[in-house]
């Protein structure tokens, strides 16, 4: 620990006796995190410097206990240079896409699909523009919207084979090296922004900067204020959030596995809390108002081409953006009346993601929450309400697009955009969500246990839905967590020190879930109507608590996926800490679901036999793109087993 003395010149106001502390406490910590991933090699070489400055100022005017806190954090992750063939400027390469029509050479390269002169099955199809199917250009660098077969990966290739489903090429290099598929202001990070994420236009190297103070009243109550860039922690549980949704989360740092304290994204927030103290009914009672007045920020879900892309969603979105901007080949898409499905070329502005609508700053786009918190007979409780913007993206269909089967609309220079039902063409939105919920802590001395309960009901969340013409719908969502903590002696492991056992059951229920059986499979919402995830922590203590082994496990019941993360913390000295661990996943892995190949947006050209213009999907499915919601974040990371080494040194 490094403590600096800071001199203060008293210029009036509070008396000198009201300033009990004229020193600032400064903690400086260096951290190196080095991870190695199976079949990949180095997946993280993150070097972080953290500076925490805390200054207590005593009384200032009407405020007691005034304090100032500043947290700085800067990171450099060398993996983008040390393993640039996987994550940096040399990532990706040329790809080939599956084509199951059953002719020789039917595995086609990117840009060699339906209607291409080099595909003997479909060369010269009537009504298609010449020189490349539907206006897709992968051969002429001088032409606009050139989309070459380089720096690419096949969507989901590290998780599964295409196996008859759809897939397409995804650019994987940083956006300053290859701008294809980069969504402006959302998923468009350069290499510098990926390796040093805090140094951006939001000044994230200032991790927290806030002022606290309280105004006492004659009856013993007080008004506590906290204003500045900060984290607001409403939840009582770990890993999965129910009430703790005020701050967005940076999942690109280490998926869901880092402490929330390290991956919440601090926001500029004002908290005002009236602390009533003991009343006739309650042992303690507080009422808080939280106003997040910062410009909206979504979760960082990870940009495709970086080591941590939760649900692999960033890769799907980058590939879809590239399809919209530049066109491309989609594997196993067209039904030509022959055995199998033909890889199909699409031109620009026909399918994909057009743009992201990130809410600009306005008073109506800020977020407001209220909380009543108290204690009665040893039971802590809270009642919570919050209106906020969804931090997860929603894909809304129904945008104007070109019809590739229209000889005029298929030509990029003469577009005739028009919304088409069930078309896989989207804009990204972040809808308004309203939440009500509550939590409770209950200590049961008879069994030496603490139970933590948390529940919330939201309205306004949006989910993919193949039964709707715009391919999404709203659903109310009920989420809950039941947690159990208990110190427990395990004599054959340690006779003198208790182990901490902590278990949680996280549940989610979609109240407006829609799912139907169609001729070729199920169609509707890919998210499970009901799902539970169970987590278990077992932590021990040895050598006067300087050596602490632990194992964390999480199991997704419907995703049929489990992660096991053993680790050992060794406090070598008061300043040096080493952690060695692993993160191993087991389970079913990728899952299949309807992929909208049989949605028939361009009737009659895209119709299956007997399918009408508004019949929607018949249910033919594959791993991509919606199977990810059935596999969940653990299942979609099945191929990301890692060995992990972390060093922390406090100066």
């Amino acid at each position: 620990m490094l403590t600096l003395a800071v001199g203060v010149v008293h210029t009036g106001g509070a008396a000198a006796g009201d300033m009990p502390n004229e020193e600032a406490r400064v903690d400086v910590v260096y951290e190196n995190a080095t991870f190695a991933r199976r079949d990949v090699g180095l997946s993280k070489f993150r070097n972080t410097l953290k500076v925490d400055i805390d200054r207590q100022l005593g009384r200032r005017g009407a405020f007691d206990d005034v304090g100032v806190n500043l947290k700085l954090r800067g990171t450099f992750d060398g993996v983008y240079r040390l393993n640039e063939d996987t994550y940096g400027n040399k990532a990706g390469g040329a790809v080939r896409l599956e084509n199951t029509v059953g002719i020789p050479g039917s595995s086609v390269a990117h840009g060699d699909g339906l209607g291409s002169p080099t595909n003997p099955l479909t060369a010269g199809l009537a009504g298609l523009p010449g020189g490349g199917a539907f206006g897709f250009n992968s051969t002429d660098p001088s032409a606009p919207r050139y989309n070459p077969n380089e720096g690419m990966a096949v969507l989901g290739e590290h998780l599964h084979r295409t196996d008859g489903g759809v897939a397409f090429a995804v650019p994987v290099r940083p956006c300053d090296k290859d701008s294809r598929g980069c969504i402006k202001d959302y998923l468009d990070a350069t290499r510098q922004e990926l390796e040093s994420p805090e140094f951006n236009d939001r000044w994230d190297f200032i991790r927290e900067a806030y002022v606290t103070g309280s105004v006492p009243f004659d009856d013993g109550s007080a008004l506590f204020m906290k204003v500045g860039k900060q984290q607001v922690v409403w939840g009582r549980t770990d890993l999965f959030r129910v009430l703790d949704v005020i701050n967005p989360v940076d999942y690109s740092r280490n998926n869901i596995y880092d402490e929330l304290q390290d991956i919440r994204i601090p926001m500029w927030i004002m908290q005002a809390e009236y602390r009533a103290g003991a009343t006739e009914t309650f042992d303690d009672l507080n009422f808080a108002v939280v106003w997040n007045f910062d410009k909206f920020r979504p979760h960082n879900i990870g940009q495709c081409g970086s080591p941590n892309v939760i649900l692999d969603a960033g890769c799907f979105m980058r590939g879809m953006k590239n399809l919209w901007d530049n066109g491309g080949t989609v594997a196993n898409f067209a039904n030509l009346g022959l055995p199998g499905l033909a890889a199909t070329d699409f031109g620009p502005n026909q399918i994909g993601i057009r743009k992201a609508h990130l809410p600009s700053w306005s008073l109506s786009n800020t977020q407001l929450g209220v909380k009543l918190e108290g204690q009665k007979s040893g039971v802590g409780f809270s009642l919570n309400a919050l209106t906020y913007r969804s931090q997860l993206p929603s894909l809304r269909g129904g945008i104007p697009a070109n019809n590739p089967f229209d000889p005029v609309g298929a030509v990029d220079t003469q577009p005739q955009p028009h919304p088409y039902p069930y078309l896989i063409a989207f804009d990204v939105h972040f809808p308004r969500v309203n939440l009500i919920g509550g939590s409770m802590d209950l200590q049961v001395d008879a069994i030496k246990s603490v139970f933590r309960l948390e529940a919330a009901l939201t309205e306004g969340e949006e989910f993919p839905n193949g039964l709707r013409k715009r391919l999404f719908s709203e659903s109310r969502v009920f989420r809950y967590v039941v947690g159990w903590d208990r110190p427990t002696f395990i004599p054959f492991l340690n006779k003198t020190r208790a182990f901490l056992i902590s278990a949680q059951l996280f549940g989610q229920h979609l109240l407006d879930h829609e799912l139907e059986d169609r001729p070729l499979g199920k169609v509707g919402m890919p998210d499970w109507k009901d799902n539970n995830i169970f987590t278990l922590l077992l932590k021990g203590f040895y050598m006067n608590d300087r050596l602490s082994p632990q194992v964390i496990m999480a199991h997704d019941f419907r995703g049929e996926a489990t992660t096991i993360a053993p680790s050992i913390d060794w406090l070598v000295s008061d300043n040096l800490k080493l952690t060695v661990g692993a993160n191993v996943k087991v389970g079913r892995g990728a899952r299949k679901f309807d992929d909208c190949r049989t949605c028939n947006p361009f009737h009659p050209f895209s119709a299956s036999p007997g399918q009408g213009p508004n019949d929607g999907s018949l249910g033919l499915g594959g791993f991509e793109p919606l199977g990810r919601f059935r596999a969940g974040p653990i299942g979609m990371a099945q191929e990301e087993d890692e060995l992990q080494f972390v060093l922390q040194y406090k100066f």
Side-chain angles (χ1 to χ4, degrees):
M1 179 187 300
L2 177 66
T3 302
L4 302 181
V6 180
V8 176
V9 177
H10 180 59
T11 58
D18 295 330
M19 300 177 60
N21 185 358
E22 296 185 3
E23 292 185 343
R25 175 175 171 174
V26 181
D27 292 336
V28 181
V29 176
Y30 164 75
E31 177 186 275
N32 172 270
T34 301
F35 295 179
R37 184 169 296 174
R38 178 167 56 90
D39 300 328
V40 170
L42 192 68
S43 60
K44 190 182 300 295
F45 188 70
R46 186 182 67 213
N47 299 273
T48 305
L49 188 66
K50 307 174 187 178
V51 181
D52 188 348
I53 305 172
D54 181 55
R55 172 73 187 279
Q56 298 301 312
L57 301 177
R59 177 178 294 177
R60 285 292 184 272
F63 288 88
D64 276 354
D65 304 321
V66 174
V68 178
N69 189 272
L70 176 65
K71 291 183 172 69
L72 306 176
R73 187 172 82 179
T75 296
F76 178 79
D77 191 343
V79 72
Y80 296 97
R81 299 172 189 260
L82 297 174
N83 194 0
E84 65 176 355
D85 289 341
T86 304
Y87 301 117
N89 288 344
K90 297 181 181 179
V95 299
R96 297 189 68 83
L97 297 167
E98 188 179 74
N99 186 351
T100 58
V101 293
I103 64 170
S106 62
S107 179
V108 300
H110 174 67
D112 185 18
L114 175 64
S116 169
T118 59
N119 187 334
L121 177 68
T122 59
L125 276 178
L128 297 181
F134 304 146
F136 168 34
N137 167 40
S138 63
T139 58
D140 183 3
S142 64
R145 301 188 178 186
Y146 174 50
N147 192 9
N149 189 8
E150 59 188 41
M152 296 284 201
V154 177
L155 181 65
E157 69 178 8
H158 65 297
L159 299 171
H160 53 76
R161 297 176 61 89
T162 303
D163 195 25
V166 300
F168 43 81
V170 182
V172 293
R173 294 173 180 171
C175 287
D176 56 331
K177 181 67 175 180
D178 186 350
S179 62
R180 290 178 297 170
C182 298
I183 302 176
K184 180 177 172 55
D185 297 327
Y186 181 41
L187 295 171
D188 61 350
T190 64
R191 186 176 71 172
Q192 182 273 321
E193 291 170 327
L194 292 172
E195 62 191 10
S196 298
E198 290 88 3
F199 297 98
N200 55 28
D201 58 4
R202 299 292 290 257
W203 290 25
D204 284 342
F205 67 89
I206 303 176
R207 180 144 181 85
E208 296 186 42
Y210 56 82
V211 178
T212 60
S214 60
V215 179
F217 300 115
D218 293 339
D219 61 358
S221 62
L223 177 65
F224 172 79
M225 301 287 293
K226 185 176 181 180
V227 181
K229 193 174 187 181
Q230 58 183 291
Q231 302 182 44
V232 177
V233 183
W234 269 11
R236 299 172 186 260
T237 55
D238 303 316
L239 199 62
F240 295 98
R241 309 190 313 162
V242 175
L243 292 173
D244 188 15
V245 296
I246 295 176
N247 293 83
V249 170
D250 182 5
Y251 291 111
S252 73
R253 188 172 173 88
N254 192 23
N255 207 310
I256 61 174
Y257 303 111
D258 273 1
E259 295 284 346
L260 282 170
Q261 180 70 23
D262 292 325
I263 61 176
R264 289 191 196 92
I265 301 175
M267 304 286 283
W268 291 96
I269 294 172
M270 182 185 73
Q271 293 189 72
E273 182 177 327
Y274 176 67
R275 298 176 174 175
T279 68
E280 293 182 359
T281 306
F282 298 100
D283 300 328
D284 188 43
L285 193 65
N286 307 312
F287 178 76
V289 176
V290 176
W291 179 32
N292 181 347
F293 56 86
D294 206 347
K295 183 180 178 181
F296 171 78
R297 291 189 73 167
H299 292 317
N300 186 346
I301 61 174
Q303 181 170 295
C304 192
S306 58
N308 296 298
V309 185
I310 189 168
L311 285 174
D312 206 41
C315 287
F316 165 68
M317 297 179 75
R318 186 168 183 179
M320 289 286 281
K321 175 61 173 169
N322 183 48
L323 285 174
W324 178 266
D325 289 342
N326 303 305
T329 304
V330 180
N332 302 321
F333 194 90
N335 179 3
L336 301 177
L338 297 172
L341 295 162
T344 306
D345 289 343
F346 288 92
N349 300 348
Q350 294 171 6
I351 62 172
I353 290 175
R354 181 176 62 168
K355 62 181 178 180
H357 298 266
L358 277 86
S360 59
W361 191 93
S362 68
L363 192 60
S364 62
N365 278 334
T366 59
Q367 304 172 70
L368 184 66
V370 293
K371 177 177 71 169
L372 179 67
E373 186 173 35
Q375 189 170 1
K376 174 68 174 179
S377 302
V379 177
F381 69 90
S382 75
L383 299 173
N384 308 65
L386 178 69
T387 178
Y388 66 106
R389 286 277 187 175
S390 172
Q391 296 147 349
L392 285 172
S394 172
L395 299 184
R396 296 180 180 177
I399 66 170
N402 293 336
N403 183 345
F405 296 95
D406 182 338
V408 176
V411 179
D412 188 40
T413 57
Q414 296 179 314
Q416 293 183 341
H418 185 275
Y420 293 91
Y422 304 108
L423 178 63
I424 48 177
F426 308 97
D427 278 355
V428 180
H429 289 264
F430 300 89
R432 171 68 65 174
V433 177
N434 298 313
L435 174 150
I436 57 172
S439 66
M440 182 179 296
D441 283 339
L442 176 63
Q443 184 167 327
V444 183
D445 293 331
I447 57 175
K448 300 178 181 179
S449 297
V450 174
F451 292 93
R452 297 171 282 113
L453 309 175
E454 196 171 326
L457 176 67
T458 65
E459 63 91 17
E461 293 188 62
E462 296 177 357
F463 298 86
N465 187 349
L467 294 173
R468 301 295 184 94
K469 292 183 177 181
R470 296 184 64 192
L471 301 179
F472 80 97
S473 65
E474 288 188 8
S475 178
R476 295 163 296 165
V477 184
F478 177 69
R479 296 183 177 91
Y480 64 88
V481 173
V482 179
W484 170 63
D485 302 322
R486 188 182 192 275
T488 304
F489 278 98
I490 307 177
F492 71 92
L493 292 178
N494 192 333
K495 295 181 179 179
T496 61
R497 190 74 162 82
F499 284 76
L500 171 63
I501 300 177
S502 179
Q504 294 182 131
L505 182 67
F506 171 83
Q508 176 174 286
H509 173 64
L510 273 62
L511 279 73
D512 304 299
H513 191 266
E514 297 182 0
L515 193 66
E516 290 184 7
D517 288 318
R518 294 288 176 89
L520 300 179
K522 294 185 180 296
V523 178
M525 292 181 173
D527 294 79
W528 300 103
K529 181 178 182 179
D530 293 284
N531 193 18
N532 293 97
I533 296 176
F534 175 76
T535 70
L536 177 66
L537 165 68
L538 178 64
K539 187 175 181 67
F541 305 90
Y542 296 89
M543 296 171 52
N544 294 322
D545 296 346
R546 288 188 174 272
L547 189 70
S548 179
Q550 70 173 32
V551 60
I552 300 174
M553 294 177 285
H555 177 70
D556 184 332
F557 287 92
R558 299 305 299 269
E560 300 180 42
T562 303
T563 184
I564 304 169
S567 65
I568 298 177
D569 292 339
W570 179 27
L571 190 61
V572 181
S573 69
D574 291 342
N575 300 87
L576 178 62
K577 177 182 175 183
L578 302 178
T579 302
V580 179
N583 192 304
V584 180
K585 292 88 173 175
V586 295
R588 178 171 174 175
R591 307 292 291 271
K592 290 185 176 182
F593 195 74
D594 170 50
D595 52 32
C596 214
R597 276 177 288 179
T598 55
C599 277
N600 188 28
F602 304 120
H603 190 81
F605 304 102
S606 57
S608 299
Q611 189 176 23
N614 294 302
D615 290 346
S617 177
L618 300 179
L620 180 63
F623 292 120
E624 300 296 342
L626 299 181
R628 68 192 71 248
F629 296 106
R630 299 224 139 192
I634 299 174
M636 289 298 292
Q638 288 291 297
E639 301 300 321
E640 297 178 6
D641 295 348
E642 289 181 326
L643 294 176
Q644 304 172 343
F645 176 84
V646 179
L647 177 151
Q648 287 185 337
Y649 186 82
K650 180 184 289 187
F651 292 91

